[in-house]
Amino acid sequence: MKQKPDLSFWKLWNLSFGFFGVQIAYALQSANISRIFATLGADPHNLSYFWILPPLMGILVQPIVGTLSDKTWTRFGRRIPYLFVGAAVAVLVMCLLPNSGSLGLTISAAMIFGLVALMFLDTSINMAMQPFKMLVGDMVNEKQKAKAYSIQSFLCNAGSVMGYVFPFVFTFIGISNVAEKGVVPDSVIWSFYIGAAILILCVIYTTSKVKEWNPQDYAEYNPVSEEKEESANWITLLKNAPSTFWKVGLVQFFSWAAMLYMWNYTTGAIAEVVWNTSDASSEAFQEAGNWTGILFAVQAVGSVIWAALLPQFKNTKLAYSVSLVIGAVGFMMVPYIHDQYLQFIPFLMIGCAWAAMLAMPFTFVTNALQGYGHMGAYLGLFNGTICIPQIIAALCGGSILSIVGHHQSTMMIVAGVSFLIGSLCVAVIKEKK
């Protein structure tokens, strides 16, 4: 078996550049879904239920994409066809979702339309997102994997910043940030339109620049024969998964539950703490929605900065754990800061945890999977450690909100506790050198 060659910086960059566009779409979804459904008329105690669909689609779609792409060989590549189809569907749905309240539908019909659009949006984003992780697993050697995932993390956060700030910027240049009751403001609608255009352009760039190996070249660089790769089902793969797969998954459970609560409740929390309102139809609430995008962008900037510092840690597990602790403290500060600008501090700290969550789990797992084969299927199944905790957190969100006093800002403390538990679980991971 040949050693995978070292790739130049720009080849590593091109492998992941389309992720920039995909992440813009994901950021727009993450920052605005609760805002959109609250604007349509959803009760805060029910908001978390709308967040069941995104991870549910992820856990269904990504293993399928991973498994099918393991067996797909076309003149366009192995993973890229799935990337392109997913991006094309995402572009279409991004033009429909924010218009849920503008079609003359009743409140219930508008929410159903929004839910269906959200289901298709997250399905397509997951379909477009998964190939980037698999391209790195297929074509990058172990020595360069951390660098490749760091580049992916940088592009992810850069895309996030752009997606998060769109509504604020469009409001600043004069696009309306208010609308009649039950209608999503134009600032959000145009954010989705521009995000869709950037997404397809970025994906076209990656598909034109990246040439995947053909079956013969792939077999030369990867240790498992194609026949063996076709012989196992998902249950067998999970039974044979290395212990690192499950141990990293335990950390993922508490980390991603915390992030779900951030995406779900930050708009309401900032409206309560900074703007002193919980009225989703008010102008103040829409301002809080814009500022939530800015805070998420600050989080992404913090993640970029911290991602550059993470390689300085000699102990990867220590870096992972410390990052989650910093994020936990950040979450717990949110309810006690009433100045919109001072809120930058906790979200910078949350960004430290996010940087570690994006890069380190996949480094641990892909290194542990060397020699196992089925890289795409395993990474698709590993996505379950991202999706399942979000589904559970979404199902429990309304009940927890009631228990902690009906204030969405208190859910930030719940997220912080979840991060702390995750940081303790890092200790059980055994890193493959």
Side-chain angles (χ1 to χ4, degrees):
M1 184 187 71
K2 291 183 179 179
Q3 175 69 28
K4 293 178 185 178
D6 286 345
L7 301 180
S8 68
F9 171 84
W10 288 112
K11 286 185 176 180
L12 293 173
W13 176 273
N14 291 340
L15 275 178
S16 294
F17 182 74
F19 206 87
F20 175 77
V22 174
Q23 195 61 30
I24 288 177
Y26 192 70
L28 284 167
Q29 173 188 288
S30 300
N32 293 286
I33 289 304
S34 287
R35 177 182 183 180
I36 288 172
F37 283 105
T39 300
L40 293 177
D43 184 275
H45 292 80
N46 297 329
L47 274 180
S48 65
Y49 299 135
F50 294 101
W51 283 91
I52 294 173
L53 274 178
L56 181 61
M57 290 300 101
I59 200 171
L60 292 175
V61 172
Q62 294 209 26
I64 293 173
V65 171
T67 301
L68 290 179
S69 65
D70 279 343
K71 302 175 184 179
T72 297
W73 299 99
T74 72
R75 66 190 184 93
F76 300 106
R78 190 184 193 197
R79 317 294 187 183
I80 285 177
Y82 296 89
L83 160 63
F84 194 84
V85 171
V89 175
V91 166
L92 174 63
V93 182
M94 287 175 73
C95 296
L96 295 175
L97 174 60
N99 288 294
S100 300
S102 308
L103 304 175
L105 303 174
T106 63
I107 293 176
S108 58
M111 287 193 184
I112 292 172
F113 181 88
L115 276 172
V116 173
L118 176 59
M119 180 182 70
F120 278 101
L121 177 59
D122 209 79
T123 298
S124 57
I125 288 177
N126 274 289
M127 189 173 181
M129 188 180 294
Q130 184 68 358
F132 291 106
K133 301 183 182 76
M134 295 185 289
L135 282 170
V136 172
D138 286 347
M139 302 180 70
V140 179
N141 60 40
E142 289 191 35
K143 181 176 68 175
Q144 289 191 302
K145 256 181 198 163
K147 182 177 181 181
Y149 282 124
S150 293
I151 291 172
Q152 200 168 96
S153 177
F154 170 80
L155 288 167
C156 170
N157 285 293
S160 294
V161 170
M162 185 169 287
Y164 289 145
V165 302
F166 272 169
F168 182 87
V169 171
F170 289 150
T171 301
F172 180 79
I173 64 176
I175 296 177
S176 177
N177 192 48
V178 293
E180 59 184 278
K181 187 173 182 179
V183 176
V184 177
D186 286 345
S187 58
V188 177
I189 293 174
W190 276 100
S191 296
F192 275 78
Y193 289 168
I194 301 301
I198 296 173
L199 166 60
I200 198 65
L201 290 174
C202 290
V203 168
I204 289 172
Y205 176 87
T206 285
T207 55
S208 66
K209 291 291 185 179
V210 175
K211 182 175 176 58
E212 294 186 72
W213 291 326
N214 59 38
Q216 293 74 31
D217 291 337
Y218 179 85
E220 288 182 2
Y221 289 114
N222 290 275
V224 180
S225 69
E226 186 177 348
E227 291 76 20
K228 184 177 177 183
E229 286 219 6
E230 294 179 354
S231 64
N233 59 37
W234 292 349
I235 294 176
T236 302
L237 291 177
L238 289 173
K239 286 181 179 178
N240 295 329
S243 61
T244 299
F245 181 98
W246 300 106
K247 291 174 180 177
V248 175
L250 180 63
V251 181
Q252 292 272 84
F253 181 90
F254 294 102
S255 302
W256 284 94
M259 294 307 297
L260 185 281
Y261 289 142
M262 185 193 81
W263 294 324
N264 193 349
Y265 295 109
T266 296
T267 297
I270 296 302
E272 290 173 0
V273 172
V274 178
W275 271 269
N276 298 312
T277 184
S278 57
D279 180 5
S281 64
S282 66
E283 182 177 351
F285 187 90
Q286 297 301 334
E287 289 180 12
N290 278 0
W291 198 251
T292 294
I294 296 297
L295 293 176
F296 284 2
V298 168
Q299 173 218 319
V301 170
S303 182
V304 171
I305 296 170
W306 191 249
L309 297 175
L310 281 175
Q312 307 304 315
F313 283 84
K314 293 183 179 180
N315 187 321
T316 308
K317 287 172 56 177
L318 177 64
Y320 194 6
S321 183
V322 167
S323 299
L324 292 178
V325 171
I326 294 172
V329 174
F331 269 130
M332 293 179 181
M333 290 170 62
V334 171
Y336 304 102
I337 298 177
H338 301 285
D339 181 275
Q340 65 189 88
Y341 295 100
L342 289 180
Q343 284 284 353
F344 288 172
I345 297 172
F347 279 87
L348 282 169
M349 297 171 73
I350 295 168
C352 297
W354 182 239
M357 287 171 60
L358 288 176
M360 292 184 174
F362 286 98
T363 301
F364 286 132
V365 170
T366 54
N367 285 343
L369 287 172
Q370 292 303 313
Y372 279 75
H374 305 280
M375 182 67 75
Y378 266 119
L379 290 183
L381 292 169
F382 185 68
N383 189 63
T385 68
I386 296 174
C387 298
I388 291 174
Q390 292 183 69
I391 293 171
I392 295 173
L395 288 171
C396 298
S399 300
I400 295 175
L401 178 60
S402 297
I403 292 170
V404 298
H406 306 282
H407 293 294
Q408 295 184 58
S409 56
T410 312
M411 295 299 289
M412 299 296 101
I413 297 177
V414 174
V417 171
S418 189
F419 259 177
L420 283 178
I421 297 172
S423 71
L424 295 174
C425 293
V426 172
V428 304
I429 299 173
K430 290 185 178 180
E431 183 180 5
K432 178 180 178 181
K433 301 297 183 182

